[in-house]
């Protein structure tokens, strides 16, 4: 109903009106999109601000709970109620009972019971959050809800849960932006109205002139020209139509010449009429290469369909019947055809269908080319992309098996990393925190030996933390995807030395850097890790030398680059060379040269991942030199 009605409206009125309507719709959609973005922005801001606050309160509660100060714990939870966004806060124990709340009447009650007066959606979200086990602060927001639920574990016994209201900050954000939305919508609609007026005045008058000229060209008057003034798209289109009319005139002149060329071409052109028996309207004289006279086919004395190989005929007839009904109107077929001397040849038949106003096919035009030689070549090739397919199938099976094995290894490494970062760090933080509290609160009650013992404990914790970080770095290097690219070696070394400038100066060390302008193929972060560890190793083992010195250099060797870091430190016996790059292997006492024994193992792993190698040369008391071989 609407489409026929709109079809009666002149385009010069319909298009400007449509522009204004669509501009209004676009303005509305833009406003809705901005409102949606405000919701996301408010939620993101709230997650960030509340996350920072809850992380702080989580730690405070954990410390006070560990000290058994239940009153202070309740005060901390009650303090959360001063935040305008927090509508309620609870601290529950492992039995699900409320031990701290903004409402004194809820203390000691089961958490599920105190939630009964709350709305169903909020109650469900809070119970869901209470059932989760999360060390870090997390936030849940049910879809479409105007609140969030925050929760975090406090130690292994307590759960901190909050109800956070999002409606108020969202309303404030929308209220502050209402003017911007009105201005933006008004600008869009005004611009569309101006554009519609310009289109109506500048385009449609000239469009009428172009329409008349096109009607004349369509009626066969190819000498008609539009010659529209201007340089806009409409004038360019008119010029293109004028050019097209001139080209059509030239093509009419060239048709006879093309017909003559076709008669001497290896391509055979045919045209059938879409009527019973498919009588032929045209056959090029080049059909003589098959040994046939074109007049036999035009008169119907020779039926073209009878020349198609019996094994191909049913397929060809069925395909053509389908194309006549459903299209496409351009298609290709390959089939075997009998020549006049009885040979079978393969032909490539490219066909075009011409349809009348009712959509019925009127004529079928095609060009046929002998492709017998090509078919023989394809058959030989087919016997070969088959042999390769069998080989590829075997390779794919092996790749899939290896991929599955690597997936299992990666999952094991992921599990290891999780255990290290969570299960090992947590008790270390506890030991570190409690020992610090012990020193701060009871240091005066301890004698020198007691304070020394606590200091030893804290140093051990720090050493264990460094070891864990090194192990995590080793695990990440084993699993991470390295990006191989060109890395400027001299610039990388300069940056690393600048970062160690203070440590080098404090040790009174001389660093001689002679790395030339060479580019290597490596992962930049991975190579920086390798060179950083070698520099730290040289600093550590040469700091006690009389005149500590580090030499850094590089040179090209064929398609490789050799890089080295040499020191004049304590060195090592080369019979232990294989142990230097193994995990936790140390050649010197930890009391003299502290470390985790992971650094050089990480260097070797990184070089393996980047397709390079590392080795060392040394002797006791004569320093050591570590070499890297990298791709140029």
């Amino acid at each position: 109903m609407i489409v026929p009605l709109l079809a009666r409206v002149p385009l010069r009125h319909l298009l400007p009106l449509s522009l204004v309507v669509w501009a209004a719709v676009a303005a509305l959609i833009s406003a809705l999109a901005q409102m949606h973005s405000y919701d996301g922005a408010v939620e993101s801001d709230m997650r960030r601000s509340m996350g920072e606050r809850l992380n702080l309160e989580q730690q405070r509660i954990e410390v006070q709970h560990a000290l058994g100060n239940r009153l202070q714990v309740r005060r901390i939870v009650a303090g959360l109620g001063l935040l305008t966004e927090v509508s309620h806060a609870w601290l529950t124990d492992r039995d699900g009972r409320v031990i701290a709340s903004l409402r004194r009447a809820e203390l000691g009650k089961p958490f599920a019971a105190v939630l009964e007066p709350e709305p169903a959606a909020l109650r469900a979200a809070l119970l869901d959050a209470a059932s989760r086990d999360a060390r870090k602060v997390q936030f849940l927001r049910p879809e479409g809800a105007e609140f969030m639920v925050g929760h975090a574990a406090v130690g292994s016994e307590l759960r901190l849960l909050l109800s956070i209201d999002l409606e108020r900050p969202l309303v404030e954000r929308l209220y502050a932006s209402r003017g911007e939305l009105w201005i933006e919508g008004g600008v869009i609609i005004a611009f569309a109205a101006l554009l519609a007026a310009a289109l109506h005045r500048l385009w449609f008058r000239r469009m009428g002139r172009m329409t008349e000229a096109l009607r004349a060209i369509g009626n066969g008057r190819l000498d008609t020209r539009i010659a529209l003034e201007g340089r806009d798209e409409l004038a360019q289109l008119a010029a293109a139509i004028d050019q097209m009319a001139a080209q059509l005139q030239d093509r009419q002149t060239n048709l006879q010449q093309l017909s003559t060329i076709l008669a001497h071409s290896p391509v055979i052109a045919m045209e059938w009429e879409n009527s019973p028996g498919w009588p032929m309207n045209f056959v090029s004289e080049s059909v003589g290469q098959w040994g046939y006279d074109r007049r036999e086919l035009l008169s119907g004395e020779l039926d073209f369909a009878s020349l198609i190989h019996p094994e191909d005929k049913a397929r060809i007839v069925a395909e053509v019947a389908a194309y006549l009904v459903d299209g496409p109107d351009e298609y290709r077929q390959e089939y075997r055809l009998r020549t006049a001397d009885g040979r079978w040849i393969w032909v490539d038949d490219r066909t075009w269908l011409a349809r009348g106003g009712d959509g019925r096919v009127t004529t079928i035009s095609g060009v046929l080319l002998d492709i017998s030689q090509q078919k023989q070549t394809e058959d030989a090739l087919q016997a070969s992309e088959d042999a390769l397919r069998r080989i590829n199938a075997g390779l794919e099976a092996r790749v899939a098996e290896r991929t599955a094995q690597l997936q299992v290894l990666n999952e094991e490494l992921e599990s290891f990393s999780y255990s290290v970062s969570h299960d090992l760090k947590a008790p270390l933080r506890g030991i570190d925190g409690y020992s610090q509290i012990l020193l701060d609160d009871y240091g005066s009650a301890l004698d020198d030996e007691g304070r020394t013992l606590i200091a030893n404990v804290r140093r051990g914790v720090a050493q264990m933390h460094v070891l864990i970080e090194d192990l995590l770095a080793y695990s990440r290097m084993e699993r991470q995807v390295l990006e191989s690219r060109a890395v400027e070696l001299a610039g990388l070394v300069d940056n690393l030395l600048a970062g160690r400038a203070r440590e080098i100066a404090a040790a009174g060390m001389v660093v001689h850097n002679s790395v030339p302008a060479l580019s290597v193929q490596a992962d930049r972060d991975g190579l920086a890790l390798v060179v950083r560890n070698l520099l730290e190793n040289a600093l550590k083992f040469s700091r006690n030398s009389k005149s500590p010195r580090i030499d850094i250099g590089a040179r090209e060797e064929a398609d490789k680059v050799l890089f080295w870091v040499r020191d004049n430190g304590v060195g090592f016996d080369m019979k232990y060379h294989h142990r230097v790059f193994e995990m936790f292997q140390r050649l010197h006492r930890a009391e003299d040269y502290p470390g985790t024994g992971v650094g050089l193992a990480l260097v070797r792993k990184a070089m393996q991942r980047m397709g390079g190698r590392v080795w060392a040369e040394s002797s006791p008391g004569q320093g050591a030199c570590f070499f890297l071989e990298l791709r140029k």
Side-chain angles (χ1 to χ4, degrees), residues 6 17 42 87-88 105 127 146 152 194 207 295 320 332-333 401 408 411 413 417 420 486 493 543 549 624:
L6 292 177
L17 180 61
V42 167
S87 57
H88 205 11
L127 291 176
E146 294 185 347
L194 290 174
M207 185 69 76
R295 289 173 294 185
V320 172
R332 293 178 61 178
Q333 293 174 303
E401 180 181 359
V408 172
E411 291 176 356
L413 287 173
S417 299
V420 169
V493 173
R543 67 169 182 262
R549 177 186 176 91

Side-chain angles (χ1 to χ4, degrees), residues 306-310 336-339 341-346 372:
S306 67
L307 304 180
I308 300 176
H309 195 286
R336 288 164 287 182
L337 202 69
R338 186 182 72 247
T339 62
D341 60 4
R343 293 181 299 111
W344 291 102
I345 61 172
W346 278 96
S372 300

Side-chain angles (χ1 to χ4, degrees), residues 108-127:
K109 294 182 179 180
F111 185 56
V114 302
L115 292 180
E116 289 182 358
E118 303 294 340
L122 177 60
R123 183 169 64 252
L126 286 168
L127 291 176

